[in-house]
Amino acid sequence: MPKVTIDGKTIEVPQGTTILQAARMIGEEVTPPAMCYYTSLKTSGGYCRTCIVKVSKMSEANPNPIPKPVASCRTNCEEGMEVMNYTSPEIIEARKGVVEFLLANHPLDCPICDQAGECHLQDLSYEHGSDDTRYEFERRKFKKIDLGPFIQLHMTRCILCYRCVKVADQLTDHRVHGVLNRGEVSEISTYITTAIDNDFSGNMIDVCPVGALTDKTFRFKSRVWFTNPVSAHRDCEKCCGKVTLWYKGDDVLRVTARKDKWGEAEEFICNDCRFEKKQTLDWTIEGPAKISRHSVISANHYEKMVEPSLFKLNDIKPFEDQ
Amino acid sequence: MSKKLLTEHFGVQGIDQLPVYKQHGGYSALEKAFKKTPDEIVQEVIASGLRGRGGAGFPTGKKWSFIDKKSGKPRYLVCNADESEPGTFKDRYLMEVNPHLLIEGMIISSFALGANLSFIYIRGELLYVYHILEKAIAEAYEAGYLGKNILGTGYDLELYCHTGGGAYICGEETALIESLEGKRGNPRIKPPFPAISGLYNNPTVVNNVESIATVVPIINMGGEEYAKIGIGNSKGTKLISACGHIKKPGIYEIELGLPVEEFIYSDSYCGGIRGGRKLKAVVAGGSSVPILPAELILKTEKGEPRLMSYESLAEGGFASGTMLGSGGFIVMDETTSIVKNLFNFTRFYHHESCGQCSPCREGTAWMEKILHRILHGHGTLKDVDLLWTLQKNIDGKTICPLGDAAAWPVASAIRHFRAEFEDFVEHPEKYQDVKHYFNQIEDKQLA
């Protein structure tokens, strides 16, 4: 049971726990943001580099610091490890750089994006990014690829977190999409169009942190903050049947998996539940879903208002001429 | 002339054929090695002080001692022949001229590591070298140096040569392993390191061609004898591929510790700068290491002469030093534009980035676009500062060293030649040949 200290807070964690998981156990105030890590998907994480932290002391046995920042989602805790996240100015600066890279080619088409309001990249850039961009070149665009009847792919919005690839690898019986090309022009694609056809493909939408994969049955129906999340369940042969229904008035506009406070699906659901069952009669209603993140989705039932401890108004400096 | 260990028989006609190779003492090291235990060979390599010749300079013997022998899993040796660092062409030459030296080294190293299956991962563009190696491997099988029960010792080894698709990133050891497994060549996230979980999740050692070939002279002359060559912690000889504006470009085997000045100006090596011009800058170890101006490459900041060794070249850190790297020695004379050269390097890293992690994927492309703009005469002084912050944001934040390799040339070029960058953005009209240069590139791309 290694003891690890993150930003001065110590916790004892089971062997094999990553720094990110340990930080999540301590609480939101020390937890680095994560765009590509997903607890229930094996080998996820390590790609986006937003969760980098500074290891100021490797372990009790080896008290040296690690010279480079490490990806907290893929680094295991060691006995006596000391980690600096928000207490390290260089990490805050480095993370700002990473956010800038993630946004460099992002189209910033939030006003027409279905993900807006529950987009992790929006949260990330608001909390950890800088307030303007230095990227002055044409942003890259991709040709649209038709994935099938349920899922809309907008490759221009993708940040290549590989989560949807891991979902297809670990959840469905065979993967038909992946990353084509390399470097700046690498893209998520099926190579052969309309190829994604299996019962759990819809989970790609849930794991996508940005608006690259969206629900075709919900497209342009409503902004998410005008819909009310309600927990519900049904007896499903294929999956757990525990979902969140998103209501607008009396209509179920969308069905998603239930998400925890880190935005990760608690249990994955099947395509029948997600795309076919859009009547209240199909479901047993449990009550309003709880939203604990500082989300714009206001169903007037926040558990608590999260203190904006990560970004303070006073810290925002007036615009400097560069 | 210094001692020749690897290139000793390179002038011999037909040295790529087994009978000729044997006439010149080939496979005698193998017979010697089989009289020792595997651990003794590892000790011998540790004693020799051999450091990895691929670029990072990690002690080879130490790398071997890390391999997981307790788990009982099969172990593999992989030879990294995916040499694609701009300015480096030593491994290609070595494999082309003397393939049996590599094969003998592979057998000894595999025996030392207890590997019964080994691979040579060769860069796809070197197809003709692949055919040379295949022929040599077939000869070695025929003569009983490979296969079952080698030389009656009861040791089995299968050796395969595998061609890659020509990606620079597949020279990174974990990307190489992924590619060898038949997957997309993306670097893995470490730990676990290949010595614990590498090829097919089994313990694997990945070594450079030159490192493995050097095992042969180490066994022949003994580790301690080998350690007498060289200087400080840089033992033995190293192949340097010299190119650029010198009179005699080519491959030179040098004893580590040779003064850089002697290497550039001596007639037995590079023979001085072409056309009697002045030396401007040197990239000492392949495109990724920091570029140094003439005054810093010949003498360290303290005024001592700089030597061709791991320590001496690195003296002064990145502020005034560089690295020995892979031994790709690129010399530039006073007519060279550092801005253009940097654009060329950055274009390469942009093209070769695998796209897995965001700083490298977006950063390399961004830096290339800025340099492209500067070269077209539309740059501003702000661009130079932006380049500096971008390289800082990439350096050390990526999964594999490609990000660092892309950032260091930018950092060093701006650090040492900032005035030239500023001159370029302020007076682009002075650099009229730029248009011509771009036309050349575009013609090539169209062709």
mmCIF file of all heavy atoms in Angstrom, chain A residues 236-249:
data_model
loop_
_atom_site.group_PDB
_atom_site.id
_atom_site.type_symbol
_atom_site.label_atom_id
_atom_site.label_comp_id
_atom_site.label_asym_id
_atom_site.label_seq_id
_atom_site.Cartn_x
_atom_site.Cartn_y
_atom_site.Cartn_z
ATOM 1 N N CYS A 236 -32.853 -5.046 -19.959
ATOM 2 C CA CYS A 236 -32.276 -5.194 -21.300
ATOM 3 C C CYS A 236 -31.509 -6.508 -21.348
ATOM 4 O O CYS A 236 -30.796 -6.863 -20.411
ATOM 5 C CB CYS A 236 -31.347 -4.019 -21.593
ATOM 6 S SG CYS A 236 -30.604 -4.105 -23.218
ATOM 7 N N GLU A 237 -31.644 -7.209 -22.443
ATOM 8 C CA GLU A 237 -30.946 -8.496 -22.578
ATOM 9 C C GLU A 237 -29.465 -8.284 -22.831
ATOM 10 O O GLU A 237 -28.641 -9.123 -22.517
ATOM 11 C CB GLU A 237 -31.525 -9.281 -23.758
ATOM 12 C CG GLU A 237 -32.936 -9.753 -23.538
ATOM 13 C CD GLU A 237 -33.580 -10.221 -24.837
ATOM 14 O OE1 GLU A 237 -32.954 -10.028 -25.906
ATOM 15 O OE2 GLU A 237 -34.693 -10.765 -24.762
ATOM 16 N N LYS A 238 -29.150 -7.133 -23.442
ATOM 17 C CA LYS A 238 -27.771 -6.969 -23.910
ATOM 18 C C LYS A 238 -26.891 -6.226 -22.917
ATOM 19 O O LYS A 238 -25.700 -6.480 -22.839
ATOM 20 C CB LYS A 238 -27.775 -6.209 -25.233
ATOM 21 C CG LYS A 238 -28.329 -7.034 -26.373
ATOM 22 C CD LYS A 238 -28.422 -6.187 -27.612
ATOM 23 C CE LYS A 238 -29.064 -6.983 -28.746
ATOM 24 N NZ LYS A 238 -29.550 -6.093 -29.794
ATOM 25 N N CYS A 239 -27.497 -5.248 -22.209
ATOM 26 C CA CYS A 239 -26.666 -4.428 -21.334
ATOM 27 C C CYS A 239 -27.332 -4.255 -19.986
ATOM 28 O O CYS A 239 -28.366 -4.867 -19.708
ATOM 29 C CB CYS A 239 -26.380 -3.069 -21.980
ATOM 30 S SG CYS A 239 -27.840 -2.043 -22.109
ATOM 31 N N CYS A 240 -26.711 -3.401 -19.143
ATOM 32 C CA CYS A 240 -27.240 -3.217 -17.791
ATOM 33 C C CYS A 240 -28.590 -2.495 -17.809
ATOM 34 O O CYS A 240 -29.366 -2.591 -16.858
ATOM 35 C CB CYS A 240 -26.250 -2.427 -16.963
ATOM 36 S SG CYS A 240 -25.973 -0.780 -17.633
ATOM 37 N N GLY A 241 -28.864 -1.741 -18.865
ATOM 38 C CA GLY A 241 -30.147 -1.035 -18.971
ATOM 39 C C GLY A 241 -30.253 0.200 -18.110
ATOM 40 O O GLY A 241 -31.332 0.778 -17.988
ATOM 41 N N LYS A 242 -29.144 0.617 -17.462
ATOM 42 C CA LYS A 242 -29.182 1.820 -16.616
ATOM 43 C C LYS A 242 -28.701 3.011 -17.425
ATOM 44 O O LYS A 242 -27.549 3.025 -17.881
ATOM 45 C CB LYS A 242 -28.283 1.632 -15.400
ATOM 46 C CG LYS A 242 -28.820 0.634 -14.414
ATOM 47 C CD LYS A 242 -27.835 0.468 -13.285
ATOM 48 C CE LYS A 242 -28.233 -0.717 -12.425
ATOM 49 N NZ LYS A 242 -27.120 -1.163 -11.594
ATOM 50 N N VAL A 243 -29.587 3.997 -17.597
ATOM 51 C CA VAL A 243 -29.268 5.087 -18.517
ATOM 52 C C VAL A 243 -29.661 6.435 -17.929
ATOM 53 O O VAL A 243 -30.278 6.521 -16.878
ATOM 54 C CB VAL A 243 -30.002 4.925 -19.868
ATOM 55 C CG1 VAL A 243 -29.628 3.615 -20.530
ATOM 56 C CG2 VAL A 243 -31.501 5.020 -19.665
ATOM 57 N N THR A 244 -29.291 7.466 -18.641
ATOM 58 C CA THR A 244 -29.816 8.801 -18.385
ATOM 59 C C THR A 244 -30.662 9.196 -19.594
ATOM 60 O O THR A 244 -30.189 9.102 -20.732
ATOM 61 C CB THR A 244 -28.671 9.807 -18.209
ATOM 62 O OG1 THR A 244 -27.832 9.348 -17.166
ATOM 63 C CG2 THR A 244 -29.201 11.182 -17.860
ATOM 64 N N LEU A 245 -31.915 9.581 -19.332
ATOM 65 C CA LEU A 245 -32.763 10.090 -20.421
ATOM 66 C C LEU A 245 -32.680 11.605 -20.418
ATOM 67 O O LEU A 245 -32.694 12.232 -19.352
ATOM 68 C CB LEU A 245 -34.217 9.670 -20.203
ATOM 69 C CG LEU A 245 -34.511 8.186 -20.015
ATOM 70 C CD1 LEU A 245 -35.997 7.994 -19.752
ATOM 71 C CD2 LEU A 245 -34.093 7.397 -21.235
ATOM 72 N N TRP A 246 -32.604 12.193 -21.587
ATOM 73 C CA TRP A 246 -32.509 13.648 -21.671
ATOM 74 C C TRP A 246 -33.825 14.163 -22.249
ATOM 75 O O TRP A 246 -34.107 13.985 -23.433
ATOM 76 C CB TRP A 246 -31.306 14.056 -22.528
ATOM 77 C CG TRP A 246 -30.018 13.592 -21.917
ATOM 78 C CD1 TRP A 246 -29.511 12.333 -21.941
ATOM 79 C CD2 TRP A 246 -29.096 14.384 -21.168
ATOM 80 N NE1 TRP A 246 -28.321 12.287 -21.252
ATOM 81 C CE2 TRP A 246 -28.035 13.534 -20.766
ATOM 82 C CE3 TRP A 246 -29.045 15.730 -20.777
ATOM 83 C CZ2 TRP A 246 -26.957 13.977 -20.009
ATOM 84 C CZ3 TRP A 246 -27.964 16.165 -20.031
ATOM 85 C CH2 TRP A 246 -26.940 15.295 -19.655
ATOM 86 N N TYR A 247 -34.609 14.789 -21.392
ATOM 87 C CA TYR A 247 -35.958 15.241 -21.754
ATOM 88 C C TYR A 247 -35.962 16.687 -22.208
ATOM 89 O O TYR A 247 -35.256 17.531 -21.653
ATOM 90 C CB TYR A 247 -36.877 15.155 -20.532
ATOM 91 C CG TYR A 247 -37.497 13.808 -20.314
ATOM 92 C CD1 TYR A 247 -36.919 12.893 -19.455
ATOM 93 C CD2 TYR A 247 -38.690 13.476 -20.954
ATOM 94 C CE1 TYR A 247 -37.503 11.659 -19.241
ATOM 95 C CE2 TYR A 247 -39.279 12.241 -20.740
ATOM 96 C CZ TYR A 247 -38.681 11.339 -19.885
ATOM 97 O OH TYR A 247 -39.270 10.132 -19.674
ATOM 98 N N LYS A 248 -36.791 16.972 -23.183
ATOM 99 C CA LYS A 248 -37.164 18.354 -23.434
ATOM 100 C C LYS A 248 -38.680 18.357 -23.476
ATOM 101 O O LYS A 248 -39.272 17.728 -24.360
ATOM 102 C CB LYS A 248 -36.578 18.850 -24.752
ATOM 103 C CG LYS A 248 -36.749 20.349 -24.940
ATOM 104 C CD LYS A 248 -36.006 20.799 -26.183
ATOM 105 C CE LYS A 248 -35.998 22.304 -26.256
ATOM 106 N NZ LYS A 248 -35.365 22.767 -27.492
ATOM 107 N N GLY A 249 -39.299 18.969 -22.496
ATOM 108 C CA GLY A 249 -40.744 18.836 -22.347
ATOM 109 C C GLY A 249 -41.073 17.395 -22.020
ATOM 110 O O GLY A 249 -40.469 16.807 -21.127
#
